[in-house]
Amino acid sequence: MAKKVALLQGNEACAYGALYAGCSFFGGYPITPSTEVAEVMSKELPKTGGKFIQMEDEIAAMASILGASLTGAKALTASSGPGISLKQELIGYACIAEIPCVIVNVMRGGPSTGMPTGPSQSDVMQAKWGTHGDHPAIALAPASCQEIFSETVRAFNLAEIYRMPVQVLLDEINGHMRERIEFPEPGDLEVVDRQQATVSPADYKPFDDSQGDIPPLASFGSEYRYHVTGLNKAADGFPTSKPELVDAEQRRQLRKIEANRAAIEKNEEYLIDDAEVIVVAYGTISRSARYAVDVLRKEGIKAGLFRPITLWPFPEQRMAELAGQAKAIVVPEMNLGQLILEVERVTRRVCPIEGIGRVDGEPITPAQIVAKVKEVL
Amino acid sequence: MAFDYEQYLRPGKLPHIWCPGCGHGIVMKGLLRAIDTCGLEKNNTAIVSGIGCASRLPGYVDFNTLHTAHGRAAAFATGIKMAKPEMDVLVVGGDGDGVAIGGNHFIHACRRNIDMTYVLLNNYIYGMTGGQFSPCTPTWAKASTTPYGNPDPIFDVPKLAIGAGATFVARTTAFHATQIDKLIAAGLRHKGMAVIEVLDDCPTAYGRRNKFRSVVDMMKRLKEIAVPVKAAAHMTPEQLEGKVLTGILHQEERPEYCEQYQQVIARAQGA
């Protein structure tokens, strides 16, 4: 049977991906260029018995999805620049209290109000380091509308599996761009539901790591009762300042990601095997990069594209391997040099690495990338 | 027979962090009596707080408890209630938490008239951080950040709640211990946003700076300033100078938010 197809904006595809994943709660606040996510959710969620709420501010939107998630709901919020800055307080809360949720950031120019309708990729480092304290981070950067749908589904899966907030990084271009999308049928894409507690209510501890680094999260309103706090806590969820317990907890939270990199990382490689120049690009700009690689190949230049879809954790090992075969690496991104810092760090600069930064509200063009590759060779 | 508080207290979590003479324990006991009176089920009840001395209360009591970030309790609680309307949701917290950093969440929870019960313990000060002035610190009172006296006017919490749309608003004090549970119980029974302000004492961070020689003096003050709302009807403005009204200050029926959203669901599903 032919799949259902539609012409959708990226933001709309994101919302439908969330619904496919089983999202039943959206808490939001209006902000350009993310608002279509909220608009679709406000229309579609009540049809499924889910809940949409427009909160009084960005912080409240983030708080509402954490409250909802604690009752067992798969919960989503969407925002951009200034809104994401405001949400950082409670993204940190989600990290320490280990509450699954998905945060969509349709990146726009900044800092501050910046360029609300201009595309940007300047929140890459914020997605990793935005909230205070050491904490794990997962951030996904899809490039097309179809991929926005499927990566949003994956974001929910990762949030539930690793019991933490997951960010989906779109930008004003792929958030608003319309493309043909085929709706996956139920079962086409994996959907992971939250691991349920199996111990008796009397024995349940929300952060009990005796069975592994990711303890099951019981739902409020079930037969399990427990305490949640933003303070450093012991396995039973109650605050502690015992150095050995605090240290163990913080290290466990980072280990959730470090020990599972292979399962979380996802990259696309295009004409990479014999590539002498590797373009590292993500999100919308990876599309310019792919076009540029084709142009360069036609001219006999061995160019290839490495496209991290998972930005955090950064694909350190694969990037380092690729650097070993390359004569040069070019990193185009709509910021003044963010992911390039990771590329430089993990490759130990074994070859020349050049960035192309653009923050004028216009996308990086294939011609810019072609010119830079020729310059570095 | 004496009320059995221990049935609602988590074993091993006492002693609490509150100072000798602090009224928060009186309020916690009133809260537990009210919960008992209304027959709330432990598994079906969520108690949410923000940050501060009063916000440590949920850690001691045996329910679904959520100690959130500073000021954010009402917004977390809104998420819980919306996602699972069958749960009984309470918020507890202090004055700075509730109406300074959490002021926006507070007024919007009132506006929505979402069915939750918010017990605001107003001890006039930021106690946990050592006594800085809050939006409820009386004008010209002393705090660690008002060494020359507090130039700020105060928020009248019940007026704020009524103005913002809460449909049940009451006030009492930590001195009036037997009224605390009655008002909280009435708030729990009320369908919609119920706000109960309990005027409280902080001997450590407020009393010492403001010439209260003892906790007893602070309690006497709470006793003296409280005027039941019915008695106030027969008093002149001069007689009411410096007094606060206690009891149920406002109650009305208005559509509750989660029920309103059920209508959204019905409309979306074409009913």
Side-chain angles (χ1 to χ4, degrees), chain B residues 50-86:
Chain B
I51 294 293
C53 296
S55 287
R56 287 301 189 95
L57 189 157
Y60 307 127
V61 295
D62 186 16
F63 301 92
N64 301 279
T65 55
L66 178 59
H67 177 220
T68 73
H70 200 17
R72 313 300 174 214
F76 276 80
T78 298
I80 293 172
K81 186 69 185 176
M82 268 293 273
K84 224 171 214 180
E86 64 272 28

Side-chain angles (χ1 to χ4, degrees), chain A residues 51 56 93 227-229, chain B residues 43 65 67 72 82 84 112:
Chain A
K51 309 289 171 62
E56 55 272 15
Y93 192 91
H227 185 59
V228 181
T229 177
Chain B
N43 283 339
T65 55
H67 177 220
R72 313 300 174 214
M82 268 293 273
K84 224 171 214 180
R112 289 189 193 100

Side-chain angles (χ1 to χ4, degrees), chain B residues 171-218:
Chain B
R171 176 161 54 199
T172 185
T173 85
F175 175 84
H176 301 83
T178 58
Q179 196 180 29
I180 294 171
D181 50 321
K182 291 186 180 72
L183 291 177
I184 295 175
L188 287 169
R189 290 193 187 101
H190 177 80
K191 187 85 179 172
M193 179 72 177
V195 176
I196 298 100
E197 183 191 35
V198 184
L199 298 178
D200 207 344
D201 71 304
C202 177
T204 304
Y206 185 79
R208 287 190 305 176
R209 284 194 183 85
N210 289 285
K211 295 181 179 165
F212 289 96
R213 296 175 64 87
S214 69
V215 174
V216 174
D217 286 349
M218 299 191 81

